[in-house]
Amino acid sequence: MSSPAERYAAARRKAAQAAQFPALDEFALELGFDLDDFQREACQSLERGSGVLVCAPTGAGKTVVGEFAVHLALRGRPDDPVPAADATTPPARRKCFYTTPIKALSNQKYHDLVGRYGAEQVGLLTGDNAINGDAPVVVMTTEVLRNMLYAGSSTLQGLAYVVMDEVHYLADRFRGGVWEEVIIHLPASVTLVSLSATVSNAEEFADWLVTVRGETAVVVSEHRPVPLWQHMLVGKRMFDLFHDADAARKHDVHPELLRYTRETVRRLELGEGRSAGPGAGRRGPRWRGPLRPDIVDRLDREGLLPAILFIFSRAGCAAAVQQCLAAGLRLTSAEERAEIRRVVESRVTAIPGEDLSVLGYWEWLDGLERGLAAHHAGMLPVFKEIVEELFVRGLVKAVFATETLALGINMPARCVVLERLVKYNGEAHVDLTPGEYTQLTGRAGRRGIDVEGHAVVVWSPETDPRHVAGLASTRTYPLRSSFRPSYNMAVNLVGTVGAEPARALLESSFAQFQADRSVVGLARQVQRNTETIEAYGAEAACHHGDFDEYFALRVAIADREKAIARQGQTQRKAAAVASLERLRVGDVIRVPSGRRAGLAVVLDPATGGFGEPRPLVLTQDRWAGRVSPGDFTTPAEVLARIRVPKHFNHRSPGARRDLAAEVSGTGLDRHGGRRGGRSRQVTGEDHQITQLRTELRHHPCHACPEREEHARWAERRRRLERDTEELRERVSGRTGSLARTFDRIVALLTERGYLARDGAVTDAGRMLGRIWTEADLLVAECLRRGVWNGLSPAELAAAVSVVVFEARRDVDERASLPRGPVADAVDETLKLWGEIEADEAARGLTATREPDLGFAWPVYRWARGEALAKVLGSGHEIDGEMPAGDFVRWARQVVDLLGQIADSGGATTELRSTARQAIAAVNRGVLAYHTSAS
């Protein structure tokens, strides 16, 4: 207990702070809880007039600093002049924009601020909603603010503060550049409040903010307000990952955990843990980890619910709920079940009953009533929102989620479980990074509710506890810029400030800042390499003669031999391509190598398109798919012909079985009695190689007894020289790299008529400057060429979908299209894309993504008024029908692009009218509910 003198001193300090920071004192009194040190430090910097960068763990309370900026804006300047006639007039109010990366976060923050300041003081601007946009406090997505800045919106008048929540999103490779555009273009009078997760290069980011925004205070807090305990679940036993906090700092894994996992692995290797059954023992030991229902039941018994169980698969999340239901788990009381049903029924009243059945509503509700739910991007948005609401209220106890839940949504839990430490990133299965691990486990521990949070990793033989300890103890989450100039950005910059100032602005980006800093390290490495090269040269010196000259002959011989081998490969590939181009439907061929080796019949020759021929075939093993020239070491030879039914469906197992039987019935040998691999044509010794070898044998160094030792040093030097030259090219490429890319974009836009030769923006350029989509130039070209003119509303929705949709997985065959005008418009779009891609390749620019046809049928059918079940079943998906959440998300993007077309000066009056009709046709059913709910 403190003494009277200490209490008096503390009171004096508090009074002094209140006098120095009156706004913060008012704000703190309204909060009802004491500010943490990092919150107070950041707020004091703001009241002093400085910008601020706050880096703190998830759940630490960073948003309090953003809310203080709102308080400062609404409070007004204390020194604002007050008219003499009315001394009671409050100070002039300034504006604060609160930006978030996703609409769900914007909606959440809007409701929070309305609850605190009232609906008349707070507005919301997202792609879907515009509520009270002229309010002194407006919550918006970052893209909305970027568009305002380029348009010179009058809403920006009086703007004093911009809060950028989750500013670490600028590392996002798809949308991150928007954050940098906003930071660079905001008027100098605006104070920037940047709120970020804990990043390891906060000082570097702050240094850049100082260069572009002026004075910026950096406040970093590693402290979690709720302590986090790390555990591993090994079979049925739960272990602490660390013995105590000191061991955690040293990354020292609990000895008992290490001993037990090593013993478990040893038993598995001896065969004690093998699974029983017909396949047992054939592929070595197989570990059977704890079942998902058992994990949830264990957490329930130990008082660790509510919990989020991260499973990096949508299907896995849905399966986990079904497994728990099948096991008879029930985590809720009768009163909780009644409240859950009341909440759900009140939220889904607008969705038609037939659609609810298609969406699996009754099974979903059964899970909710038992306190169990899945949460992933494939779910209908309103279903996800209900899960979030029920979880936050403590009614749903266990949520099986993909990692998307960790991004921004305020859904803390007492415990977080990681089923695996590997996830699919869209291209490959990769290990979780320390930053991702920290973000996921950061959900554990609810401030003001839990005394401590818990993170549990489920052990498997591939999981090393020491690796988990490294993930749990490392804070390496560096912020890396993903900024790059786009066509839309280029015309907007040139139109706003002119070509040369635009180049200067790009060079002030965080991307260029990081590139320039990295050049310093690269230059030092070049210098070190140069010194080492000289040392290697001394070691390679030979007293018999010039060893550099001798070694150059050896290199020339090796290069010539490789060139001859490559030439042979090129000729073989050309022969394979030519043979595939000659194939017809019904030809029986032999695939000589790869997983699909054996006999196959051609279903679709796939000729006449772009790129290499990739015929669709059916093998005698009943596999249907496309083969490429890479599968053929020798030209494809037609061995026989069989009849393929006219409307053969290669997706039908029965049809595949019958036709594969006909292939086998030809009596041809599956492998064709292989003739000992590739035939090698003996064409005699190459004249150039013969001459080089003669020179080599006659060189004085050839007789040196230490010749091979000298050659090893010379080879090391050659490799280091090659690496050093690459480093020099990287130095050259990074210095001014964004400006060079910008120059290439400007040249392409000038050639295509979006910019005039004198640098002025043309009418076409102004139209391009109002197109906000990844394929901005392709959309502009389609508008200029009239590709979408004359289409009906449903046809237009289908035609524009190909430039926004992107499938989650690559699908071998091209998606089908509605015949007639849609197919014609898409063919014309693909032709334009080919022209743009060729221009980009000629200038060394990143290619515009190829249009994806996979969403054309679903949105076409939906816009024509067809039932949701039929629409979802028409998606071009590998795994069957399209998930409802994906359908809503892509349909919203189609609607967004249609809205841009409806407002575009580059579209005809008829096309703008059709776009508005298409929007009305798409915004129905689950889409209309989504629009009103968000």
Side-chain angles (χ1 to χ4, degrees), residues 270-290:
L270 292 173
E272 296 173 29
R274 292 183 185 176
S275 57
R282 264 183 289 173
R283 296 194 178 183
R286 183 182 166 200
W287 168 254
R288 280 188 171 180

Side-chain angles (χ1 to χ4, degrees), residues 374-396:
H375 186 288
H376 56 75
M379 292 170 62
L380 193 69
V382 65
F383 282 18
K384 281 200 301 180
E385 291 163 14
I386 291 169
V387 169
E388 290 162 13
E389 179 184 340
L390 295 175
F391 188 79
V392 169
R393 289 181 57 184
L395 296 170
V396 165

Side-chain angles (χ1 to χ4, degrees), residues 214-266:
E215 185 184 353
T216 303
V218 189
V219 179
V220 178
S221 173
E222 293 278 358
H223 174 69
R224 279 182 54 94
V226 179
L228 178 65
W229 293 96
Q230 309 272 353
H231 313 278
M232 286 199 82
L233 183 62
V234 187
K236 294 183 177 181
R237 290 192 60 180
M238 184 91 80
F239 293 89
D240 290 339
L241 184 59
F242 304 112
H243 179 62
D244 53 28
D246 190 47
R249 280 191 292 274
K250 296 176 182 174
H251 300 202
D252 288 342
V253 178
H254 200 298
E256 181 64 15
L257 170 60
L258 279 177
R259 186 198 62 75
Y260 189 80
T261 52
R262 284 170 183 159
E263 180 63 23
T264 305
V265 170
R266 188 188 66 79

